[in-house]
Amino acid sequence: TEAARTLRLLLKLGFINERPEFGVDSRWSETGDNYVLKLFRDYVFHQADGNGRPVMDLGHVVTALNKIDAADEEKIVLVSRDGKNVIVVSYADVARCLENAYGELCDGSVAPAGMRAPQMGGGPRGY
C-alpha cells in the first residue's frame, strides 16, 4: 500500500541521516549519497518562510515522498543550511542515493540478539 511504502522510506531516511557512530568514516560524512539525503531531509521537513518561521506543509512532505517512491525524473534544488552549497538532483537520483546508503548500512549492520537484520522490501537486496 502507499502508506507502507511511505513508512519504509521514512524509516530508511531515519536510519541513514546523521549517524554519529560513522562521524569519522568518510562514507558517512558531508559528501556523496548521505549528503544528498541530508539536504533532501531538510528540503522535505525543514522548510521555512521568509522570516525563518517553520513551514508545516504536509502536502509537500507526502508529494516529495511519493516522488521518491516513483523515482520521478523531476528536478529539485537542494540547498545546505548555510546556503553555500546548491545541488540540483532528480527525485530518481535521491531514490538511488537512499537505496545505496541503506544497502551499505544494512551490509554492515548487526541484528539485536535473537533477530535477523532489517529487511524492508521495495529495493535492491530485498530492502
Side-chain angles (χ1 to χ4, degrees):
T1 69
E2 182 178 334
R5 289 191 312 271
T6 301
L7 177 60
R8 188 172 19 260
L9 290 171
L10 288 170
L11 290 171
K12 288 178 180 181
L13 286 167
F15 279 124
I16 293 165
N17 274 310
E18 300 186 49
R19 295 196 66 91
E21 67 270 25
F22 291 122
V24 295
D25 186 338
S26 63
R27 293 177 303 141
W28 292 92
S29 66
E30 298 283 305
T31 61
D33 290 347
N34 297 310
Y35 189 59
V36 170
L37 294 172
K38 177 181 177 179
L39 296 181
F40 179 74
R41 187 259 333 267
D42 287 351
Y43 169 79
V44 173
F45 296 105
H46 298 166
Q47 288 190 327
D49 69 8
N51 295 319
R53 294 180 307 222
V55 174
M56 309 294 281
D57 184 349
L58 296 178
H60 170 72
V61 172
V62 171
T63 298
L65 292 174
N66 284 337
K67 288 182 179 191
I68 289 283
D69 186 44
D72 195 301
E73 290 296 331
E74 179 183 336
K75 301 284 187 192
I76 56 175
V77 178
L78 304 178
V79 182
S80 63
R81 291 180 181 177
D82 63 8
K84 293 182 180 179
N85 296 307
V86 177
I87 301 172
V88 177
V89 295
S90 69
Y91 286 99
D93 294 331
V94 177
R96 179 192 50 75
C97 291
L98 181 60
E99 291 306 320
N100 289 344
Y102 185 75
E104 286 179 24
L105 182 62
C106 286
D107 288 347
S109 69
V110 295
M115 298 186 71
R116 293 183 13 220
Q119 299 292 310
M120 293 187 200
R125 302 183 185 112
Y127 309 122

